[in-house]
Every structure is written in structure tokens, then in C-alpha cells.
Amino acid sequence: MFSYEVFAFNPTAFVPSGKILSKMTIYPIHTGNFKLDGGAMFGVVPKGLWERTNPADEKNLCTWAMRSLLIEDGNRLILIDTGIGDKQSEKFFSHYYLHGDHSLDTSLAALGFNRNDITDVFLTHLHFDHVGGAVQWNKDRTGYEPAFKNATYWTNARHWKWATEPNAREKASFLKENILPLEESGQLKFIEASEDAHRIDTGLGFDAFVVNGHTDAQMCPILEYKGKTVVFMADLLPSTGHIPLPYVMGYDTRPLITLDERKRIFTEAAEKGYHLFLEHDAYNEVCTLQMTEKGPRLLDNGRLDHFM
């Protein structure tokens, strides 16, 4: 077994390319689209309701984005989540119908960066569509290696244990080849997230909400940016179609906990004007909420630069 220390922000870290970065800038990183069953994505909500925002194809599949976020902050270049990657088998990918014009590499290149520039990879959780791009085949395809050779990878010990000792329901989402090579590389570090934590300091220049309904100890980064609060919602809010509180994914392991977490965080977001960054919404990068008689509802949505 490996043991790890909890590491804090290191202001002396440099981007491998040698470029000196400016004050914080954030960029959406589109890594491609995939398809998932609409019923699974909306749980007990009838199709007649959810298809108004997320139309399904003839197989009942809806298109979803895999949208990461890049943070350029001082001497650090931090990537939040990595998409599904490209190392799985053809049979595996046949279930998810990958499509679209974007990839992790082309999105980074469009901003003048490449994988070697990334100093930190923050993983909200270790399901394959969030961590798959963190690991790649080695040169001769005899094994796996981190896809970001100069980066430190960040998760937390609670979620790591949950993912490496998976329950039967989530086992298909926690793939060993996406996870164990990070431990073996020595590039993996843990952020402290106690069982009763709701909000933590990640040590990376931002806080995160800790939520446990979708999977244990998922982390949703909270960024203070241009005088506004941007929250990377991961799977707590996959899309604007999921805003009504009961619209909980069928994938969530503890839906009643998700319901409580959504009520608490959505209410705070509406009252304080948070900008919610959407990882899986195929049409919108960001949304804002307002409180109504029916609870939190959509106020505005669109591209990140629409709000910033």
C-alpha cells in the first residue's frame, strides 16, 4: 500500500514550458460529447418532462458534453476533470457513441497549451467520464501512464477508498486502468475532506463543496473570479434540465442525500448569485438560478464569456 501526505499550495511551482502565467483566467475545455440513456439521467422524472430540455434519439439516448475547466493562476495551470479519454476498447466506446468536433488536446491547443503545461489535475470524482483522460497507454501499449506527465493529480482519501473498493452498483464506472496508474506513478496527492465536511479548502487557491449523494466525497470547486463566484457543478447539476430539485439522476447512489445537497447549494447559489459551470450540458456552459415559489429555477444560461 502507498501512503500519502496532504499537500498545500506551492507558490514556487512553475509551468513546465517555462511561461510565466498572469492572474487567474478560466477557460472551458470541451473534450467531446457522448450519449447516455435519458431515463437513467433523469431517474424517476417522466420522459414527457425531461425531453423538453434534452430530446432523445430513437434509442432514448441524449447527447451530453464532457466539459472540463482550465484555470490559469499564477504559475499554475490546473485542469478540472479530463473527460473519457481514448484508451478503452472499441466495445466499451460503442455503448457511449462519442461524437463532436472537440477533444482535450485540440481544446488545449486552441488556447496555446498542451498536456505538458498542466501542473495540476483536479478530479471531482473518479467515474470514467471524468477521469478517463487522466491516464493513457504507454508508448508500446504494454501498460498505462499518466496522460499529464508534469502534473500532480488531486483527489481525496475518502473518495479514493470508495473508488478502489467499489460497490456493485458503481463498479462499472470505476475502471482500474483509469485509477490505479495514478497511484503507481507517484503523482497522486490527497486533499483533506472529512466525513462531516461540506466545504473545504483544496490548497489549490480555491474551495470546494463536498457532496455525497452521487458518489461518496465528490468535490465541486468554488472559484472567485472577476468578482463573481463560479462553481464547477460536476454531477451535482449535470445540465439546466436538472435544476428542479427532484430531477436527480438514476446514477446517484444515495438520491435522498443528493436531494438535500441540491436544496442547500442551489438555494445558496440563487441567493448569492453564483455562476454554475455545467460539465455535461450539451448546450450551455454556465447557468444562474433564482428562487421561485416552486424552488430554485433557471435565471439565465449560456457561454461562460456571456457572464464574464
Side-chain angles (χ1 to χ4, degrees):
M1 292 292 295
F2 289 77
S3 62
Y4 300 94
E5 300 176 55
V6 176
F7 284 72
F9 178 81
N10 176 10
T12 62
F14 288 92
V15 174
S17 64
K19 64 175 71 175
I20 302 299
L21 302 180
S22 61
K23 63 182 180 179
M24 182 187 284
T25 307
I26 62 177
Y27 311 94
I29 299 294
H30 296 268
T31 72
N33 299 324
F34 69 149
K35 290 189 175 186
L36 293 172
D37 183 84
M41 284 296 287
F42 286 95
V44 300
V45 180
K47 182 178 180 180
L49 296 179
W50 59 252
E51 69 177 351
R52 297 172 186 174
T53 56
N54 296 84
D57 65 16
E58 66 281 359
K59 295 182 179 180
N60 210 48
L61 300 173
C62 303
T63 290
W64 306 97
M66 290 175 286
R67 184 179 296 112
S68 301
L69 187 68
L70 187 67
I71 306 170
E72 185 182 17
D73 188 14
N75 294 316
R76 289 189 115 133
L77 198 61
I78 305 168
L79 182 67
I80 301 176
D81 282 353
T82 66
I84 200 169
D86 60 6
K87 67 182 177 300
Q88 308 303 141
S89 68
E90 182 178 346
K91 180 180 179 180
F92 175 87
F93 285 127
S94 71
H95 297 300
Y96 301 106
Y97 304 92
L98 303 187
H99 62 285
D101 298 327
H102 299 288
S103 71
L104 177 60
D105 288 319
T106 59
S107 294
L108 287 174
L111 298 171
F113 298 113
N114 62 62
R115 295 186 187 206
N116 294 341
D117 292 325
I118 304 299
T119 62
D120 302 88
V121 176
F122 182 97
L123 299 166
T124 62
H125 61 297
L126 299 172
H127 287 167
F128 64 81
D129 54 316
H130 297 256
V131 70
V135 174
Q136 63 188 9
W137 284 106
N138 61 16
K139 188 174 182 180
D140 57 7
R141 296 178 71 86
T142 58
Y144 304 102
E145 63 186 12
F148 303 90
K149 67 179 183 180
N150 297 312
T152 299
Y153 289 82
W154 299 93
T155 183
N156 65 75
R158 281 177 50 209
H159 186 63
W160 181 262
K161 179 177 175 60
W162 187 269
T164 55
E165 302 174 13
N167 59 74
R169 179 169 177 153
E170 283 183 278
K171 188 174 183 179
S173 293
F174 291 130
L175 306 180
K176 292 181 179 180
E177 61 269 30
N178 286 338
I179 301 172
L180 297 184
L182 300 179
E183 178 184 55
E184 295 161 0
S185 72
Q187 293 174 232
L188 178 68
K189 307 298 180 190
F190 288 157
I191 294 165
E192 186 174 357
S194 63
E195 289 192 13
D196 59 350
H198 293 301
R199 179 169 177 156
I200 59 172
D201 180 355
T202 68
L204 295 167
F206 54 84
D207 287 356
F209 290 121
V210 179
V211 289
N212 303 294
H214 177 61
T215 188
D216 199 56
Q218 177 182 205
M219 299 183 291
C220 297
I222 307 163
L223 310 175
E224 300 303 327
Y225 181 62
K226 294 186 176 181
K228 300 175 182 178
T229 300
V230 179
V231 184
F232 188 97
M233 295 302 285
D235 281 345
L236 183 64
L237 178 62
S239 74
T240 57
H242 289 85
I243 290 172
L245 294 178
Y247 284 41
V248 175
M249 291 192 294
Y251 296 111
D252 285 27
T253 59
R254 294 174 289 200
L256 294 181
I257 292 177
T258 296
L259 193 62
D260 287 342
E261 292 167 340
R262 285 161 60 88
K263 182 178 181 180
R264 172 172 54 87
I265 294 173
F266 290 13
T267 299
E268 183 176 330
E271 292 176 347
K272 296 186 177 181
Y274 293 170
H275 293 74
L276 307 182
F277 188 88
L278 304 170
E279 187 160 12
H280 289 311
D281 193 305
Y283 313 104
N284 304 289
E285 295 173 346
V286 174
C287 74
T288 55
L289 304 181
Q290 61 184 331
M291 289 303 296
T292 73
E293 294 180 355
K294 295 182 178 181
R297 289 293 187 271
L298 180 68
L299 175 62
D300 196 6
N301 58 276
R303 289 168 52 93
L304 177 65
D305 55 19
H306 167 72
F307 296 96
M308 303 296 160

